[in-house]
Amino acid sequence: METILLSAETADIEKAAAMIKNGELVGMPTETVYGLAANATDPKAVAGIFAAKGRPADNPLIVHIAELRKLSELAEDIPVLAYRLAEKFWPGPLTMILKKKPCIPDITSGGLDTVGIRMPAHPAALELIRKSGLSLAAPSGNVSGYPSPTKAEHMMRDMNGKISAVIDGGDCTVGVESTVISFENENTVRILRPGGVTREQLLEEAENVIIDPAILHELTEGQTVRSPGMKYQHYSPIAHVIMIEGSYEAFCRYVNENAGENIYALVFDGDEGGLAVPSVKYGCNGSEQAQNLFSCLRDMDEKAAKTVYVRAPEPEGVGLAVYNRLIRAAGFEVIQV
Ligand code: AMP
Ligand code: MG
């Protein structure tokens, strides 16, 4: 199959919308990462997403909408707090897990009786959803397990020949996937996956915000997993990623002791000198690091890096999402120095 690269102009979005209506798959830019979009209510189209990504069948997809009124068409028993959060954070990087209505096929929800719904903030995504007249299932557009795509070229690399088109909507501004929450009760939400909307921001509307333990810790055997995506190895480049926690001086000392061919360091902006291996900077705060992380991890494979030592980000604000992705990219291999 030939994968066409489309622009984000209306005429091209109309072409993409026609493909979606025809049950085909399209790479869709969003503010978080590029998504692999298809009609959420068409089990055959959704099966195509799982096949193209090589995604485990029990890992549910997020359904993307462009109008708030769609929420009650797809979900039921919606808490008042969910509407308040939608009002405040949509369009934006917040996914809410709600009880699904029968129009959501089991394949879309990974066999669960709930569905994750969000309204993306990218104008091309909103236009594609509106022009198709459908709700779009769209997981991150990477091959399962690999770092998510934050540029059209990343999507092309992973999906060329497997899907109908990719819409080039530029670089993603958030750079990590949405914050996924579930509702414990009318006042309490649980963060299942950290993302662009932070715990601090959620606390402006919700009385309590629980951080699910699976965000920062490896699951132990038999532990229940509330978000199936959390149990899989994820976000990993081919290169071996090791996360290092400590000062820049201690980081340099450790990396230099382990220096060798094809060893790289991923450090903060402002970390200067002292390293015996080549380094790449991935930002100076949580938001910048979120924007650059996946692209930097993919670049490491372009450079044929064997091992990448990464300075651990501060797990605060959006940095919690960066920390969460990196600890998984590293397969929980964290070294304190
Ligand atoms: P991705 O589409 O790659 O951004 O991954 C979607 C994430 O949302 C995965 O970690 C899923 O486990 C999670 N998710 C989606 N739907 C649900 C749901 N109904 N219940 C719990 N987690 C969900
Ligand atoms: Mg993903």
Side-chain angles (χ1 to χ4, degrees):
M1 173 189 291
E2 193 202 346
T3 303
I4 309 167
L5 187 62
L6 295 170
S7 77
E9 302 293 321
T10 296
D12 270 5
I13 301 230
E14 276 165 1
K15 280 185 204 157
M19 292 166 175
I20 294 276
K21 282 196 272 193
N22 193 35
E24 297 169 38
L25 273 53
V26 172
M28 169 175 82
T30 83
E31 80 282 25
T32 58
V33 302
Y34 274 73
L36 179 53
N39 178 358
T41 55
D42 175 352
K44 237 176 102 186
V46 172
I49 295 179
F50 281 92
K53 280 180 63 74
R55 183 171 172 110
D58 68 348
N59 194 0
L61 307 181
I62 293 169
V63 176
H64 294 68
I65 59 174
E67 268 108 35
L68 190 55
R69 66 179 167 75
K70 283 274 182 182
L71 191 57
S72 55
E73 283 178 29
L74 305 173
E76 56 197 6
D77 300 342
I78 303 170
V80 177
L81 178 58
Y83 283 105
R84 291 218 311 273
L85 293 173
E87 188 77 29
K88 180 146 182 161
F89 296 110
W90 282 0
L94 181 69
T95 296
M96 301 196 277
I97 307 298
L98 298 162
K99 186 158 190 282
K100 79 171 178 122
K101 278 193 170 170
C103 63
I104 302 287
D106 279 346
I107 185 168
T108 304
S109 62
L112 299 174
D113 58 2
T114 54
V115 60
I117 303 176
R118 98 170 180 104
M119 190 188 292
H122 197 293
L126 291 170
E127 197 176 358
L128 178 65
I129 299 166
R130 289 203 185 102
K131 289 241 145 79
S132 70
L134 296 163
S135 303
L136 303 187
S140 52
N142 50 292
V143 166
S144 215
Y146 203 62
S148 299
T150 56
K151 298 171 186 285
E153 69 198 60
H154 296 161
M155 271 239 59
M156 274 303 215
R157 180 204 165 276
D158 284 20
M159 293 296 153
N160 196 6
K162 294 196 225 173
I163 65 176
S164 295
V166 172
I167 299 170
D168 186 349
D171 293 3
C172 300
T173 51
V174 177
V176 288
E177 302 82 349
S178 59
T179 304
V180 177
I181 59 164
S182 62
F183 294 87
E184 300 275 303
N185 57 50
E186 264 302 336
N187 310 309
T188 304
V189 301
R190 175 185 288 270
I191 300 182
L192 301 178
R193 178 180 74 184
V197 172
T198 63
R199 173 172 186 268
E200 294 73 19
Q201 287 175 297
L202 290 168
L203 275 170
E204 290 168 22
E205 289 298 326
E207 253 170 56
N208 307 300
V209 177
I210 300 167
I211 305 241
D212 197 86
I215 285 174
L216 292 174
H217 305 282
E218 199 165 8
L219 287 164
T220 49
E221 250 198 44
Q223 198 175 343
T224 29
V225 52
R226 290 182 169 87
S227 177
M230 287 293 185
K231 59 179 189 217
Y232 296 107
Q233 211 219 327
H234 211 160
Y235 318 114
S236 307
I238 295 160
H240 177 192
V241 175
I242 299 171
M243 204 154 100
I244 311 279
E245 261 173 342
S247 69
Y248 182 59
E249 289 66 35
F251 176 89
C252 291
R253 228 177 296 128
Y254 184 88
V255 172
N256 291 347
E257 275 164 20
N258 293 280
E261 223 183 308
N262 297 323
I263 308 269
Y264 284 81
L266 201 53
V267 298
F268 304 161
D269 286 19
D271 288 347
E272 293 297 341
L275 273 174
V277 304
S279 65
V280 172
K281 295 184 166 69
Y282 76 111
C284 68
N285 57 43
S287 314
E288 280 186 19
Q289 290 167 349
Q291 229 175 55
N292 298 324
L293 176 68
F294 288 136
S295 196
C296 285
L297 291 178
R298 282 173 175 262
D299 284 349
M300 289 296 149
D301 284 347
E302 295 294 317
K303 291 181 176 11
K306 196 175 81 195
T307 305
V308 186
Y309 292 101
V310 186
R311 261 202 91 188
E314 280 302 320
E316 300 294 327
V318 183
L320 180 64
V322 181
Y323 191 99
N324 166 268
R325 305 312 187 268
L326 264 171
I327 204 172
R328 282 179 166 68
F332 291 91
E333 194 172 350
V334 184
I335 294 167
Q336 317 277 342
V337 291

